[in-house]
Amino acid sequence: MPEASPDHIRRPRLINQLHAGLAGKLTLIAAPAGSGKTTVIADWFASETGNVALAWLALDAEDNDPARFLRYLIAAFEQVCPTLNLRLDGLSGTALPEIKSLLTELLNQIGQSGQRVVLALDDYHVIENPDLHRGMIFLLDYLPLNLHMILTTRSDPPFPLARLRARRQMTEIRAADLRFSLDETDQFLNQGMGLKLVHDDIAAIEQHTEGWIAGVQLAALSLRGRTDVKAFIQAFTGSNRYIAEYLVEEVFNQLTEALQSFLLKTAVVERFCAPLCTRLTGIDDSAPILDTLWQMNLFLIPLDDDGTWYRYHHLFADLLRFRLKKEYPEAISGLYQLASAWCDEQGLSSEAIHYALAGEHWDQAARLIERYSDYFWVRGELKRLLRWSDQLPPEVVEASAGLCVLKAWTMLPAGALRQMETYLSHAEHALSQADDAGQWRGRILSLRAFMRRILDGGDSGYQLTLQAKAALAPDDVVWQAFTTMNLTSSAMMRGDLPALQDYNDQTIALARQANDLHTLVTSCAFRAQVELERGSMQSAASFLTRIETTLEQHHAQLSPLRGFADIAAGRIAYERNELDAARHYFDVGLERGQEGEVADIIIDGLIWSARLRQTSGQFDRAQQYLDQLAEQAAAVGVPWLVQTAAACQAWQHLLTERLHLVESWVARHAERIERELIVFHWWFQIEQVVLVRAYLALEDFEAAYARLTRLIAVAEQQRQSTILARLYVLLAVLHFKQGRPRRAQAIVSNALELAAPEGYVRVFLDELAALQPILKVVSHPFAARILQVERDLNPAKGRHPDLLDPLSERELEVLRRLPEGLSNQEMADQFFVSVNTVKWYLKEIYSKLGVGNRTQAIERARELHLIA
């Protein structure tokens, strides 16, 4: 048998599998060419250290002659069993009875020898003689206990494999088992071939080759002496010279013309089933051909358990497409059109669009994108819609009102208002040339109303939104939901909370009716922020729970849109002074917003991430977020958003005591802010609150008092509890600075009454430097709690000399509940947070205590006297 090459790597998992297989009759190693079938046997045999004798027979096409086959078979046995005594002189080798007679004598002599022997038949796929197959089945049926058979083959032999499998008499090693893992690829390339590649390059090769050993070896050969390693790996495909030559010689040229044609035509699709293959090839029934390819181990990879969907190995598919393009370029477009039409008929919308675009069937692609746009919108797959529409020629898009509306719609989350205006103008022009405006008139009005509200920063788009809603068909539920969501924001701008709640409820109901996860998640997260401003953390948390429940029910990820919920959850944690949790949520939310290019999430994430770093004195880090905020606001190009970013920067100047810069900001913006409509959206209130703080810092107490009086009146009228508590705190600071401590105490007491029920701690901690003297003399339980929080979050309980990182107050609360045996859901209900938040706290607790589960956490906490 061949020896393992010097650059081979040991593969213990396969050696163990082969060793365990000796307990049965047959080990079948079936995989495509170049999978390392022979090498793994050599590796295994080297590890057996004389425990078994190996009779090795490498087969070729000439061995279909029974006489030749049997002579070589006996010779292989004689190499390891010198006591064998079989007469072959008169062997003519054509009749099955004669084959069975000889095999019977062979089995008897091996069985009597008592020697443990393994028969390895290498490349058995070359055997096509039915009598030889029957002879080997006979051999298997009557194997003595001391004899085992190993077959390596590219295709399954016509043996009773199901019977052997059911009786557990067969071990199977398939292509998936033989593929190199990432670690094995690393060992082979760097240790075996001495290439010294970095991890990312190795991972790329493993991904391109899918662990196919010959592919990895050929990649290594191609890399020798190269300096442009990364560029080569990025371009490494089945059309690579070494890969192509190997696959053509060892695989493709060995097939019939009919199979070659089948492979080339079906290679245009990324996955396929029998009906799709039938459409592409014109063959009446493709299922038998797929079965044949599977049995031949022809680089066919199943995608499900019932053998319906398959794909080709990436490198093999690359080769097939390369040959198709080279030999039959005129056929490619038609094949893509057939694939697109079939996928559309089956409701496989993504693939239908993909193949229409790939074949440059622009009109077909445009119709499909337009038809399925609502479907992908409700699933939150806006980037996919935008990517598809970007592949269409501009003249195709501009001629279609529907595609222009779609382009504008998909640009909405990114805040690309100028581009939206361009495409809406194209849509209106296209409609002017059409006989029937259909559904598009109302949709255009809806988007224009949205743009007007964003650009003006008020409720100027309200009437236009009502017109859009009336123009939309009642059954256009997706757009009805979107338009009603716009009315919700308009109500917020007017300070009309009853209308806001009503429109928000309508939006959620419409989104549920349309299965519109995009609008549902956005609306629930918006409502959570509204409830948070109204002073109801419990209600805010309930809307976040709705989001989690809905996404779980639909098995949806919607990663970018989850950022809305993350930011809202972070705000709840921030208000409770759970700063570690808040940082986690803000970081994750911001990352998701940037991933999906959703401007609202990015802006919220940057504002609150900066605020959080300011809280802990990390002003340099906060400035980095503020710089990004200014860039994002400028990119969107909305004046009030740029002004909000400037106010956030002014807050930073206040905290770092750069009063000359604060004074400059007041000089530029105070007059405008004073005359503007007071809106308590969490973005718009930033300017109002910063202006009051600036007046206090600059000791313009008259201006501060006048502004606070006006703001408090509006907040009381709108029942905005959270902002009202903040304004009361600022008013108390004003009175204290002016020498009216008793008045300050009375006003702080009002703020405590508003904030205490749901634990709005940060309302006071954000102003603690000026507020501390007042809190110390106020007789209120919540004041005592705030002062305790200020004393480093209960250090006597949360700190311990054995803990490098102390537990936060909320982590201690969760830890104290663990002995009660509450489930994650029960704890979430008690703390008014989501189950994911509880899981996050538990993860932090385990990490800080150095444990792995609840039981260990309880034991460790008792050892440290953190709990009783």
Side-chain angles (χ1 to χ4, degrees):
M1 69 165 294
E3 295 182 0
S5 62
D7 57 12
H8 94 289
I9 63 169
R10 286 184 56 78
R11 311 184 72 188
R13 59 188 175 88
L14 295 176
I15 291 172
N16 293 337
Q17 206 170 345
L18 280 163
H19 183 75
L22 295 179
K25 290 187 172 186
L26 173 67
T27 296
L28 177 66
I29 307 177
S35 295
K37 300 183 290 293
T38 301
T39 302
V40 77
I41 298 177
D43 201 15
W44 159 76
F45 183 61
S47 72
E48 286 295 321
T49 62
N51 294 328
V52 297
L54 181 63
W56 177 271
L57 179 56
L59 301 167
D60 60 37
E62 299 296 324
D63 294 322
N64 278 286
D65 172 33
R68 176 186 169 102
F69 180 94
L70 291 170
R71 285 193 179 93
Y72 283 127
L73 179 68
I74 300 304
F77 274 115
E78 287 176 341
Q79 291 291 321
V80 296
C81 300
T83 60
L84 281 183
N85 183 21
L86 293 168
R87 294 179 62 91
L88 302 176
D89 298 341
L91 182 66
S92 61
T94 57
L96 181 60
E98 192 174 1
I99 295 173
K100 286 185 177 181
S101 175
L102 182 62
L103 292 177
T104 299
E105 181 61 24
L106 172 66
L107 293 172
N108 287 336
Q109 291 193 30
I110 292 176
Q112 291 168 7
S113 73
Q115 183 180 4
R116 292 189 65 195
V117 180
V118 171
L119 169 63
L121 299 178
D122 193 26
D123 286 343
Y124 191 81
H125 55 271
V126 302
I127 301 301
E128 299 174 349
N129 188 313
D131 283 344
L132 287 179
H133 290 318
R134 295 186 190 102
M136 291 303 98
I137 294 169
F138 174 83
L139 189 75
L140 278 172
D141 286 341
Y142 296 99
L143 276 183
L145 292 178
N146 60 324
L147 179 59
H148 180 81
M149 184 189 294
I150 297 177
L151 252 65
T152 74
T153 177
R154 296 182 187 179
S155 58
D156 284 2
F159 292 3
L161 300 182
R163 186 184 73 196
L164 291 167
R165 194 178 292 123
R167 295 178 179 177
R168 299 185 179 180
Q169 295 175 335
M170 176 176 67
T171 295
E172 296 178 79
I173 298 178
R174 298 282 182 177
D177 304 301
L178 291 166
R179 291 181 190 128
F180 272 166
S181 66
L182 182 59
D183 287 342
E184 290 169 337
T185 305
D186 188 347
Q187 290 179 47
F188 177 80
L189 292 171
N190 284 338
Q191 297 176 22
M193 303 295 288
L195 290 177
K196 298 180 181 179
L197 300 177
V198 299
H199 175 80
D200 288 348
D201 292 337
I202 293 164
I205 290 174
E206 192 270 340
Q207 183 179 13
H208 280 306
T209 62
E210 299 187 70
W212 177 46
I213 294 175
V216 177
Q217 291 173 325
L218 293 170
L221 291 173
S222 301
L223 279 167
R224 283 180 170 170
R226 283 186 175 271
T227 56
D228 56 338
V229 172
K230 290 190 180 296
F232 171 80
I233 292 173
Q234 187 175 6
F236 186 70
T237 67
S239 60
N240 171 271
R241 180 170 62 87
Y242 291 121
I243 294 288
E245 287 177 358
Y246 184 90
L247 289 175
V248 169
E249 292 174 9
E250 294 292 329
V251 180
F252 193 77
N253 285 348
Q254 308 300 318
L255 303 174
T256 64
E257 288 186 8
L259 279 180
Q260 289 180 359
S261 175
F262 183 92
L263 291 171
L264 292 175
K265 289 178 180 177
T266 55
V268 297
V269 292
E270 293 170 7
R271 64 172 188 146
F272 46 84
C273 60
L276 176 53
C277 291
T278 294
R279 179 69 64 88
L280 292 170
T281 63
I283 296 171
D284 291 339
D285 185 5
S286 296
I289 298 179
L290 289 176
D291 289 342
T292 299
L293 294 176
W294 172 248
Q295 291 167 10
M296 293 173 68
N297 283 297
L298 204 62
F299 293 95
L300 197 64
I301 297 175
L303 300 178
D304 52 37
D305 293 333
D306 55 4
T308 300
W309 287 94
Y310 299 89
R311 69 170 175 86
Y312 295 121
H313 185 288
H314 293 324
L315 292 179
F316 192 52
D318 288 341
L319 169 75
L320 294 174
R321 291 171 192 142
F322 177 76
R323 287 184 68 90
L324 179 65
K325 185 176 182 180
K326 183 179 179 181
E327 298 177 13
Y328 308 104
E330 71 286 349
I332 295 174
S333 179
L335 289 169
Y336 276 129
Q337 188 170 33
L338 289 171
S340 175
W342 186 89
C343 290
D344 183 30
E345 292 166 11
Q346 307 305 313
L348 301 175
S349 49
S350 297
E351 287 156 292
I353 293 169
H354 171 72
Y355 295 133
L357 290 169
E360 298 186 354
H361 298 286
W362 306 127
D363 290 341
Q364 182 176 343
R367 287 193 301 273
L368 290 169
I369 294 170
E370 191 174 304
R371 187 198 312 161
Y372 288 113
S373 60
D374 286 2
Y375 171 78
F376 288 103
W377 169 272
V378 302
R379 294 163 59 89
E381 299 186 47
L382 308 187
K383 291 187 75 172
R384 180 184 288 194
L385 279 172
L386 190 56
R387 185 174 67 252
W388 283 333
S389 59
D390 283 346
Q391 293 178 55
L392 293 170
E395 62 272 16
V396 174
V397 176
E398 292 168 12
S400 165
L403 286 176
C404 288
V405 169
L406 171 63
K407 290 280 281 189
W409 200 20
T410 52
M411 291 172 176
L412 182 151
L417 301 180
R418 295 185 186 90
Q419 293 94 318
M420 286 179 66
E421 172 59 39
T422 298
Y423 280 106
L424 289 179
S425 297
H426 286 315
E428 287 167 338
H429 177 74
L431 281 184
S432 69
Q433 309 297 313
D435 297 331
D436 180 15
Q439 61 192 350
W440 303 115
R441 187 75 67 192
R443 294 184 175 190
I444 292 171
L445 282 173
S446 183
L447 288 172
R448 286 214 173 277
F450 173 89
M451 290 176 59
R452 183 176 298 179
R453 177 177 61 79
I454 295 298
L455 288 168
D456 293 351
D459 74 330
S460 59
Y462 177 63
Q463 292 299 325
L464 190 58
T465 309
L466 290 176
Q467 293 176 34
K469 190 167 176 60
L472 290 168
D475 60 353
D476 194 359
V477 186
V478 171
W479 279 83
Q480 286 283 356
F482 170 76
T483 307
T484 309
M485 182 171 64
N486 202 18
L487 289 171
T488 306
S489 298
S490 293
M492 161 69 85
M493 297 299 185
R494 299 196 310 277
D496 188 347
L497 290 186
L500 182 153
Q501 292 171 334
D502 182 50
Y503 284 135
N504 184 258
D505 290 342
Q506 288 182 43
T507 302
I508 291 172
L510 286 165
R512 287 192 183 282
Q513 181 183 343
N515 285 321
D516 183 351
L517 301 184
H518 180 284
T519 300
L520 183 62
V521 168
T522 306
S523 295
C524 285
F526 177 87
R527 183 67 172 272
Q529 300 247 35
V530 170
E531 296 299 321
L532 195 59
E533 292 298 320
R534 292 181 61 243
S536 179
M537 285 193 202
Q538 183 175 351
S539 180
S542 73
F543 279 96
L544 297 184
T545 301
R546 285 198 203 183
I547 293 174
E548 291 299 324
T549 301
T550 300
L551 294 180
E552 287 174 9
Q553 288 173 345
H554 289 79
H555 306 288
Q557 294 300 316
L558 285 179
S559 179
L561 292 179
R562 280 179 183 265
F564 284 114
D566 292 323
I567 300 299
R571 287 198 59 196
I572 293 174
Y574 177 85
E575 295 296 350
R576 288 173 168 160
N577 202 49
E578 297 164 3
L579 301 186
D580 288 342
R583 181 179 295 106
H584 165 75
Y585 282 119
F586 292 150
D587 288 349
V588 172
L590 180 56
E591 182 180 348
R592 284 176 167 160
Q594 290 169 335
E595 172 196 337
E597 300 177 6
V598 183
D600 283 11
I601 301 176
I602 296 171
I603 291 165
D604 247 357
L606 292 172
I607 289 173
W608 285 100
S609 294
R611 176 85 63 88
L612 189 66
R613 270 59 182 192
Q614 291 165 344
T615 297
S616 57
Q618 297 174 297
F619 295 112
D620 289 344
R621 186 73 182 98
Q623 188 59 55
Q624 293 174 4
Y625 287 116
L626 293 173
D627 290 343
Q628 292 178 53
L629 176 63
E631 292 174 9
Q632 183 71 31
V636 174
V638 175
W640 62 262
L641 193 52
V642 174
Q643 293 156 6
T644 298
C648 291
Q649 184 63 65
W651 196 325
Q652 172 96 333
H653 294 328
L654 280 166
L655 294 171
T656 53
E657 299 182 350
R658 299 176 182 178
L659 294 186
H660 65 288
L661 295 176
V662 174
E663 191 170 12
S664 175
W665 177 80
V666 170
R668 290 197 309 273
H669 296 284
E671 183 179 350
R672 172 186 55 77
I673 296 171
E674 293 273 9
R675 69 170 182 267
E676 281 184 346
L677 177 71
I678 296 173
V679 177
F680 287 128
H681 182 285
W682 43 97
W683 290 353
F684 287 89
Q685 68 180 250
I686 291 173
E687 278 196 307
Q688 302 288 350
V689 172
V690 173
L691 182 59
V692 171
R693 283 192 171 97
Y695 284 151
L696 289 172
L698 298 172
E699 297 187 349
D700 189 347
F701 298 137
E702 183 178 351
Y705 182 78
R707 195 63 194 154
L708 277 169
T709 302
R710 175 71 181 124
L711 291 171
I712 287 170
V714 176
E716 288 176 338
Q717 179 186 3
Q718 296 182 5
R719 299 179 181 178
Q720 296 272 16
S721 298
T722 305
I723 183 60
L724 185 57
R726 289 194 183 95
L727 295 172
Y728 280 158
V729 165
L730 292 173
L731 184 59
V733 170
L734 172 61
H735 282 298
F736 190 79
K737 284 177 177 288
Q738 291 186 301
R740 294 188 287 272
R742 292 196 177 186
R743 181 63 181 146
Q745 293 169 27
I747 294 171
V748 164
S749 295
N750 291 338
L752 290 167
E753 287 297 319
L754 290 172
E758 301 211 27
Y760 282 77
V761 178
R762 286 307 317 180
V763 167
F764 304 91
L765 292 180
D766 285 343
E767 308 295 337
L768 194 62
L771 201 60
Q772 196 170 29
I774 308 172
L775 288 173
K776 287 181 176 179
V777 296
V778 171
S779 178
H780 195 288
F782 198 53
R785 177 182 169 187
I786 293 163
L787 292 171
Q788 181 61 34
V789 170
E790 189 272 336
R791 288 190 290 270
D792 202 13
L793 301 176
N794 199 354
K797 288 288 185 181
R799 291 191 183 274
H800 191 280
D802 290 343
L803 291 181
L804 295 176
D805 192 4
L807 298 172
S808 69
E809 185 179 25
R810 178 47 65 92
E811 288 165 357
L812 279 169
E813 291 180 21
V814 173
L815 181 62
R816 293 183 188 116
R817 297 297 179 90
L818 293 186
E820 300 175 19
L822 298 176
S823 68
N824 289 348
Q825 184 62 61
E826 288 169 334
M827 280 199 283
D829 293 340
Q830 291 197 11
F831 291 128
F832 306 118
V833 297
S834 71
V835 171
N836 284 341
T837 301
V838 171
K839 290 179 181 177
W840 186 85
Y841 281 126
L842 289 173
K843 178 183 174 184
E844 290 293 298
I845 291 168
Y846 296 163
S847 175
K848 291 179 180 181
L849 295 180
V851 299
N853 57 48
R854 287 188 178 214
T855 302
Q856 294 172 357
I858 293 169
E859 291 176 359
R860 181 64 175 151
R862 284 173 175 158
E863 290 174 7
L864 300 176
H865 304 292
L866 295 174
I867 60 176

